PDB file of all heavy atoms in Angstrom:
ATOM      1  N   HIS A1088     -10.881  21.427  12.416  1.00  0.00           N
ATOM      2  CA  HIS A1088     -11.711  20.671  11.510  1.00  0.00           C
ATOM      3  C   HIS A1088     -12.133  21.420  10.218  1.00  0.00           C
ATOM      4  O   HIS A1088     -12.666  20.838   9.288  1.00  0.00           O
ATOM      5  CB  HIS A1088     -12.911  20.062  12.304  1.00  0.00           C
ATOM      6  CG  HIS A1088     -13.239  18.727  11.743  1.00  0.00           C
ATOM      7  ND1 HIS A1088     -14.009  17.832  12.578  1.00  0.00           N
ATOM      8  CD2 HIS A1088     -13.001  18.009  10.620  1.00  0.00           C
ATOM      9  CE1 HIS A1088     -14.099  16.644  11.922  1.00  0.00           C
ATOM     10  NE2 HIS A1088     -13.501  16.746  10.761  1.00  0.00           N
ATOM     11  N   TRP A1099     -18.058  10.675   9.245  1.00  0.00           N
ATOM     12  CA  TRP A1099     -17.632  11.883  10.083  1.00  0.00           C
ATOM     13  C   TRP A1099     -17.634  11.359  11.610  1.00  0.00           C
ATOM     14  O   TRP A1099     -18.650  11.256  12.080  1.00  0.00           O
ATOM     15  CB  TRP A1099     -18.476  13.025   9.931  1.00  0.00           C
ATOM     16  CG  TRP A1099     -17.954  14.400  10.336  1.00  0.00           C
ATOM     17  CD1 TRP A1099     -18.030  14.897  11.456  1.00  0.00           C
ATOM     18  CD2 TRP A1099     -17.248  15.283   9.380  1.00  0.00           C
ATOM     19  NE1 TRP A1099     -17.414  16.107  11.456  1.00  0.00           N
ATOM     20  CE2 TRP A1099     -16.948  16.373  10.210  1.00  0.00           C
ATOM     21  CE3 TRP A1099     -16.970  15.236   8.022  1.00  0.00           C
ATOM     22  CZ2 TRP A1099     -16.306  17.415   9.630  1.00  0.00           C
ATOM     23  CZ3 TRP A1099     -16.306  16.319   7.520  1.00  0.00           C
ATOM     24  CH2 TRP A1099     -15.991  17.388   8.297  1.00  0.00           C
ATOM     25  N   VAL A1100     -16.404  11.133  12.164  1.00  0.00           N
ATOM     26  CA  VAL A1100     -16.318  10.551  13.496  1.00  0.00           C
ATOM     27  C   VAL A1100     -15.977  11.781  14.344  1.00  0.00           C
ATOM     28  O   VAL A1100     -14.916  12.367  14.268  1.00  0.00           O
ATOM     29  CB  VAL A1100     -15.229   9.474  13.492  1.00  0.00           C
ATOM     30  CG1 VAL A1100     -15.273   8.860  14.895  1.00  0.00           C
ATOM     31  CG2 VAL A1100     -15.434   8.392  12.469  1.00  0.00           C
ATOM     32  N   ASP A1101     -16.906  12.147  15.213  1.00  0.00           N
ATOM     33  CA  ASP A1101     -16.817  13.450  15.918  1.00  0.00           C
ATOM     34  C   ASP A1101     -17.762  13.498  17.119  1.00  0.00           C
ATOM     35  O   ASP A1101     -18.810  12.831  17.064  1.00  0.00           O
ATOM     36  CB  ASP A1101     -17.183  14.513  14.889  1.00  0.00           C
ATOM     37  CG  ASP A1101     -16.645  15.930  15.196  1.00  0.00           C
ATOM     38  OD1 ASP A1101     -16.571  16.246  16.367  1.00  0.00           O
ATOM     39  OD2 ASP A1101     -16.328  16.615  14.315  1.00  0.00           O
ATOM     40  N   ALA A1102     -17.392  14.295  18.117  1.00  0.00           N
ATOM     41  CA  ALA A1102     -18.400  14.552  19.188  1.00  0.00           C
ATOM     42  C   ALA A1102     -19.408  15.510  18.639  1.00  0.00           C
ATOM     43  O   ALA A1102     -20.613  15.579  19.176  1.00  0.00           O
ATOM     44  CB  ALA A1102     -17.718  15.184  20.319  1.00  0.00           C
ATOM     45  N   HIS A1103     -19.093  16.306  17.575  1.00  0.00           N
ATOM     46  CA  HIS A1103     -19.883  17.326  17.128  1.00  0.00           C
ATOM     47  C   HIS A1103     -20.428  17.129  15.724  1.00  0.00           C
ATOM     48  O   HIS A1103     -19.719  16.323  14.942  1.00  0.00           O
ATOM     49  CB  HIS A1103     -19.102  18.694  17.171  1.00  0.00           C
ATOM     50  CG  HIS A1103     -18.452  18.995  18.461  1.00  0.00           C
ATOM     51  ND1 HIS A1103     -17.163  18.592  18.648  1.00  0.00           N
ATOM     52  CD2 HIS A1103     -18.886  19.576  19.580  1.00  0.00           C
ATOM     53  CE1 HIS A1103     -16.741  18.958  19.870  1.00  0.00           C
ATOM     54  NE2 HIS A1103     -17.837  19.560  20.503  1.00  0.00           N
ATOM     55  N   ASP A1105     -20.711  19.534  13.289  1.00  0.00           N
ATOM     56  CA  ASP A1105     -20.065  20.554  12.441  1.00  0.00           C
ATOM     57  C   ASP A1105     -20.835  20.933  11.196  1.00  0.00           C
ATOM     58  O   ASP A1105     -20.399  20.988  10.075  1.00  0.00           O
ATOM     59  CB  ASP A1105     -18.605  19.942  11.989  1.00  0.00           C
ATOM     60  CG  ASP A1105     -17.662  19.725  13.093  1.00  0.00           C
ATOM     61  OD1 ASP A1105     -17.897  20.260  14.213  1.00  0.00           O
ATOM     62  OD2 ASP A1105     -16.536  19.123  12.909  1.00  0.00           O
ATOM     63  N   HIS A1118     -14.623  25.711  12.173  1.00  0.00           N
ATOM     64  CA  HIS A1118     -14.427  24.316  12.430  1.00  0.00           C
ATOM     65  C   HIS A1118     -15.825  23.631  12.853  1.00  0.00           C
ATOM     66  O   HIS A1118     -15.882  22.423  12.800  1.00  0.00           O
ATOM     67  CB  HIS A1118     -13.314  23.972  13.462  1.00  0.00           C
ATOM     68  CG  HIS A1118     -13.712  24.207  14.864  1.00  0.00           C
ATOM     69  ND1 HIS A1118     -13.036  23.503  15.912  1.00  0.00           N
ATOM     70  CD2 HIS A1118     -14.647  24.873  15.461  1.00  0.00           C
ATOM     71  CE1 HIS A1118     -13.421  23.935  17.108  1.00  0.00           C
ATOM     72  NE2 HIS A1118     -14.429  24.676  16.860  1.00  0.00           N
ATOM     73  N   PRO A1121     -17.795  22.694   8.527  1.00  0.00           N
ATOM     74  CA  PRO A1121     -17.370  22.064   7.305  1.00  0.00           C
ATOM     75  C   PRO A1121     -18.374  21.188   6.652  1.00  0.00           C
ATOM     76  O   PRO A1121     -18.472  21.146   5.429  1.00  0.00           O
ATOM     77  CB  PRO A1121     -16.122  21.210   7.677  1.00  0.00           C
ATOM     78  CG  PRO A1121     -16.184  21.185   9.243  1.00  0.00           C
ATOM     79  CD  PRO A1121     -16.870  22.411   9.601  1.00  0.00           C
ATOM     80  N   ASP A1209     -12.215  13.453  13.925  1.00  0.00           N
ATOM     81  CA  ASP A1209     -11.934  14.501  14.911  1.00  0.00           C
ATOM     82  C   ASP A1209     -11.550  13.820  16.251  1.00  0.00           C
ATOM     83  O   ASP A1209     -12.256  12.955  16.716  1.00  0.00           O
ATOM     84  CB  ASP A1209     -13.259  15.355  15.088  1.00  0.00           C
ATOM     85  CG  ASP A1209     -12.995  16.584  15.945  1.00  0.00           C
ATOM     86  OD1 ASP A1209     -12.140  16.569  16.827  1.00  0.00           O
ATOM     87  OD2 ASP A1209     -13.780  17.605  15.677  1.00  0.00           O
ATOM     88  N   ASP A1211     -11.631  14.683  19.049  1.00  0.00           N
ATOM     89  CA  ASP A1211     -12.552  14.909  20.209  1.00  0.00           C
ATOM     90  C   ASP A1211     -13.684  13.871  20.124  1.00  0.00           C
ATOM     91  O   ASP A1211     -14.627  13.933  21.072  1.00  0.00           O
ATOM     92  CB  ASP A1211     -12.960  16.335  20.276  1.00  0.00           C
ATOM     93  CG  ASP A1211     -13.990  16.781  19.212  1.00  0.00           C
ATOM     94  OD1 ASP A1211     -14.762  15.979  18.564  1.00  0.00           O
ATOM     95  OD2 ASP A1211     -14.013  18.035  18.933  1.00  0.00           O
ATOM     96  N   VAL A1253      -7.927  15.380  12.810  1.00  0.00           N
ATOM     97  CA  VAL A1253      -7.879  16.847  13.104  1.00  0.00           C
ATOM     98  C   VAL A1253      -8.167  17.097  14.600  1.00  0.00           C
ATOM     99  O   VAL A1253      -8.532  16.203  15.360  1.00  0.00           O
ATOM    100  CB  VAL A1253      -9.007  17.546  12.320  1.00  0.00           C
ATOM    101  CG1 VAL A1253      -8.701  17.435  10.799  1.00  0.00           C
ATOM    102  CG2 VAL A1253     -10.398  17.006  12.626  1.00  0.00           C
ATOM    103  N   GLU A1254      -7.778  18.356  14.980  1.00  0.00           N
ATOM    104  CA  GLU A1254      -8.114  18.911  16.348  1.00  0.00           C
ATOM    105  C   GLU A1254      -7.269  18.477  17.345  1.00  0.00           C
ATOM    106  O   GLU A1254      -7.566  18.669  18.618  1.00  0.00           O
ATOM    107  CB  GLU A1254      -9.614  18.701  16.678  1.00  0.00           C
ATOM    108  CG  GLU A1254     -10.626  19.387  15.671  1.00  0.00           C
ATOM    109  CD  GLU A1254     -10.739  20.880  15.832  1.00  0.00           C
ATOM    110  OE1 GLU A1254     -10.256  21.468  16.860  1.00  0.00           O
ATOM    111  OE2 GLU A1254     -11.359  21.505  14.984  1.00  0.00           O
TER     112      GLU A1254
HETATM  113 MN1   MN B 950     -15.153  18.359  14.179  1.00  0.00          MN
END
Side-chain angles (χ1 to χ4, degrees):
H1088 218 161
W1099 200 272
V1100 187
D1101 203 324
H1103 311 92
D1105 296 349
H1118 78 161
D1209 188 328
D1211 71 28
V1253 299
E1254 299 285 348

